Amino acid sequence: MKEYLIKSGSEVDLSKWDPDDKRLCPEGKIEGLKSLLEINHDLEMLQELLYAENKHRVLIILQAMDTAGKDGTIRHVFDGVNPQGVRVASFKQPTAEELAHDYLWRVHKQTPGTGQITIFNRSHYEDVLVVRVHSLVPKEVWSRRYEHINNFERLLADEGTTILKFYLHIDADEQKERLQSRLDEPDKRWKFDPGDLKERALWPKYIKAYEDVLSKTSTPWAPWYIIPANRKWYRNLLVGKIIVETLKGLNMSYPEVSFDPAKITIE
Ligand code: ATP
Ligand code: MG
């Protein structure tokens, strides 16, 4: 999966990343969906082990342009996983109380506890994305945040949190198609947000802001992966695989019990 990992310190040019790429599953969608079923199963087991061992914390961050599929990724990758074991935190426009604090205040509260997996649907990265693109704070303010973010994530990692960050990469044509299908299909219409068109008009500015995020905040303790996301099945497969591989790498085991089961008789 190293193909999709951003090495710390490298400059990212998103025009060089193909959103249609499917090189780890050239056989196509049917094979991809079969592999995803295995991933779902592995994830179910690994989540239970994580909870039982009660040692690690796992934070998964999803960022993307509108319609790239943050919700769909969560739904499909975690299909079958015990809903008690995974929590999703969504970050919308900050409330008045949140705005009265530093931008990491609301984020830190949502980070996973021991034995837990938390998925961030949007995150503190909005504070260098939408905030930058719309000039919600001056440049001197947002430009300092990359360093804060790296240090904040370092703190979480030092204290036992495994962090994975995914940028779901679609292109503007794919977004156009997805927005159009939300208009065309009556049961998708509720998802259409006319405000998304205003954001779409800012596409190049968002891409620049994402390139800076990916270039400045992919660290050994909290790496970014760029996920080709024009094909939904490939996006789900890749995100799932990376999470499973990372969890396997934690070498978790069930806790030792303090009794000898052979000596216990249940009347
Ligand atoms: P959906 O798929 O349901 O549209 P969404 O994540 O786009 O999901 P929305 O309620 O449509 O949810 O949008 C949330 C909005 O909040 C986004 O436009 C996002 O950029 C904005 N937002 C998130 N964090 C911040 C922030 N720190 N400052 C300003 N805006 C923010
Ligand atoms: Mg939205």
Side-chain angles (χ1 to χ4, degrees):
M1 257 67 76
K2 292 272 178 275
E3 296 89 332
Y4 301 104
L5 174 84
I6 307 305
K7 273 203 222 91
S8 182
S10 57
E11 280 294 311
V12 173
D13 171 353
L14 281 172
S15 68
K16 300 216 167 83
W17 290 77
D18 177 10
D20 283 305
D21 174 58
K22 57 175 168 94
R23 83 188 100 146
L24 295 188
C25 190
E27 305 88 339
K29 183 169 175 177
I30 306 283
E31 272 314 303
L33 292 176
K34 273 194 221 155
S35 306
L36 184 62
L37 287 178
E38 286 167 31
I39 296 282
N40 290 146
H41 179 73
D42 288 353
L43 207 49
E44 187 188 347
M45 300 302 186
L46 287 159
Q47 182 280 321
E48 185 163 299
L49 187 52
L50 182 93
Y51 181 77
E53 195 192 44
N54 199 27
K55 192 166 142 193
H56 299 278
R57 307 162 186 171
V58 177
L59 174 60
I60 295 165
I61 297 180
L62 292 176
Q63 282 289 159
M65 301 289 209
D66 293 309
T67 76
K70 298 185 300 296
D71 297 303
T73 304
I74 297 169
R75 201 166 59 241
H76 292 286
V77 172
F78 288 89
D79 194 15
V81 176
N82 180 354
Q84 295 197 93
V86 180
R87 208 168 58 80
V88 180
S90 297
F91 294 91
K92 310 269 179 185
Q93 284 190 17
T95 62
E97 190 192 20
E98 287 167 351
L99 281 174
H101 293 79
D102 71 81
Y103 67 98
L104 292 173
W105 179 74
R106 66 170 180 164
V107 178
H108 205 161
K109 289 197 286 197
Q110 299 279 6
T111 53
T114 312
Q116 293 178 348
I117 299 177
T118 299
I119 305 166
F120 279 5
N121 183 343
R122 302 187 187 269
S123 65
H124 42 296
Y125 286 99
E126 294 294 325
D127 293 284
V128 283
L129 290 162
V130 64
V131 166
R132 167 179 173 173
V133 168
H134 287 277
S135 304
L136 300 180
V137 298
K139 183 173 182 186
E140 315 77 276
V141 174
W142 61 254
S143 59
R144 288 195 295 255
R145 292 181 171 174
Y146 303 100
E147 199 182 337
H148 303 156
I149 289 173
N150 286 340
N151 288 333
F152 168 62
E153 292 176 350
R154 181 71 197 244
L155 160 78
L156 298 178
D158 283 351
E159 294 284 319
T161 305
T162 298
I163 305 171
L164 291 172
K165 303 185 293 199
F166 298 105
Y167 168 63
L168 310 180
H169 182 40
I170 57 167
D171 57 28
D173 290 343
E174 181 67 24
Q175 188 191 53
K176 185 174 181 198
E177 264 177 44
R178 292 185 187 185
L179 286 170
Q180 190 63 50
S181 73
R182 286 181 181 184
L183 282 178
D184 296 344
E185 294 171 39
D187 47 358
K188 278 196 190 169
R189 229 163 259 162
W190 65 275
K191 283 205 224 172
F192 186 83
D193 176 358
D196 289 351
L197 298 182
K198 285 200 201 110
E199 299 307 297
R200 177 173 165 76
L202 297 166
W203 187 276
K205 289 193 172 171
Y206 271 105
I207 291 291
K208 176 75 189 94
Y210 266 109
E211 286 175 339
D212 277 353
V213 161
L214 297 165
S215 304
K216 292 175 196 284
T217 63
S218 196
T219 55
W221 58 88
W224 274 108
Y225 291 87
I226 298 181
I227 304 296
N230 275 3
R231 291 185 170 85
K232 294 174 183 170
W233 66 267
Y234 192 68
R235 170 199 78 198
N236 298 338
L237 179 62
L238 207 53
V239 169
K241 268 191 177 190
I242 293 168
I243 296 171
V244 163
E245 290 310 312
T246 304
L247 292 180
K248 283 186 177 160
L250 295 177
N251 295 317
M252 298 181 284
S253 56
Y254 285 104
E256 295 286 330
V257 291
S258 56
F259 49 84
D260 178 356
K263 290 196 179 136
I264 296 181
T265 314
I266 300 172
E267 302 294 346

